[in-house]
Amino acid sequence: MKKWSQYLAIPAILAILAGCQDQGTTDTESGAEQTEQVDEADQQADNQVDEQATNEDATEDETADAGANDIDLSKVEDGTYEGIGHGRNGEVAVTVEVSNNEITDITVDHEETPEFVDEGLDDYLEAIKAKSSTNVDQISGATMTSGAIKEALFNALGQEYTSADADSGASEDGDDGGWASTTSDYDVSPEEALEREDLSASGEAAKGSTIADVDKSDDEWVEKTAEATNAVEGDTYVKLDRGVLTVDQIDHFLKAMPIELTYADDNNQFLYYNNHIEDPTDMLGTRLPEQAGDPLEKVHPEGTYANVAWVINQLREKHTDSVRMAVPSGGPGQFVVHDYYGIYDDDGNYMGINELIHDIFPHVEFFLKETGYKLVDEDGNEIDFKNLDKETDADSSASE
């Protein structure tokens, strides 16, 4: 297992800095030599980040929602079509009208949380209509709903939807889709992993975190579980491996982390996230207070279950020590990375999964400032780091 200091964005920084060169490079150095240096650095970073996820097949139209295939209207006859996708709160129904191989109208019926969806929904649908394409910017703060609308649209038009989940990073057909793990040689497919993993969390956690008397899907799971277990709180002291803290200190210590943390146990129950941002839509990976306690299948769209199971099974079976993917869910000046680590007890028994979500751009910016290095493209041209567009990372994009 990696130490804390090893996963604070350093490997990902190496990947982004693969094209870095010193500002002191002389004017006589040729563009070919610059390109050679970039290639050598890229090769060194291959073991850390999947190059395919960031460099292949990028097009001008790919955006933050371009982790999946696009609809093909070339053979769709004029008419009105209906389809179903799977959102956070249930089914999302889409009605779409097609005329002359273009989308002329699209309506959505959903039960998603209004405050996270309604504000950006109309713009999202208008963008799809304007481009007759699903490769448009997703609804800010509602990536799962955006993915459900896309899924429903594909289903309506009788086409195969290949999802790329922001919490799993791989497409339904098993393509990499942004995965990068450090030591894995495991050849199990996402579909095989799904047969091994119970995302409904119907079993019991080995360490007793499963509370049988409380419904896992209860929005007040935290409060009811605390009452059922007489959970300590406040200024009660807790002895840890190398320290003694009060519950309040532990809580605020975790909230003060400059990264977003999520803990799901070995029974695939979503137990905790460090709720340090008042508005969930401002999070890099949206989490809602009422999700604590949910089975993992409830916090992911159905189309991504196999990929979620793949991550878990990789770590449960110790076929890798980490799984990483990039999700350009922010705008220019952000590069969001999801890291997944297995949690094990002193005897090496699997206890669950730790997900870390962090924006590595500030670290890269600090590195460039302190060292005098700069980012260059394959031709040796300097890249405007602060205004990098999300399209730069289109192949590593993923939507819920």
Side-chain angles (χ1 to χ4, degrees), residues 239-281:
K239 182 181 181 298
L240 303 171
D241 179 50
R242 283 296 88 196
V244 176
L245 300 172
T246 67
V247 176
D248 280 345
Q249 286 175 325
I250 295 172
D251 191 35
H252 289 287
F253 175 67
L254 291 170
K255 287 181 178 180
M257 291 289 176
I259 51 180
E260 295 173 10
L261 302 170
T262 296
Y263 188 151
D265 68 11
D266 58 297
N267 189 41
N268 294 331
Q269 185 179 7
F270 177 72
L271 296 184
Y272 169 84
Y273 74 98
N274 58 335
N275 184 27
H276 64 295
I277 298 177
E278 184 175 354
D279 185 352
T281 63

Side-chain angles (χ1 to χ4, degrees), residues 7 28 71 107 113 142 173 179 321 371:
Y7 58 58
T28 59
I71 53 173
T107 58
T113 308
D173 60 10
W179 296 89
D321 58 1
T371 64

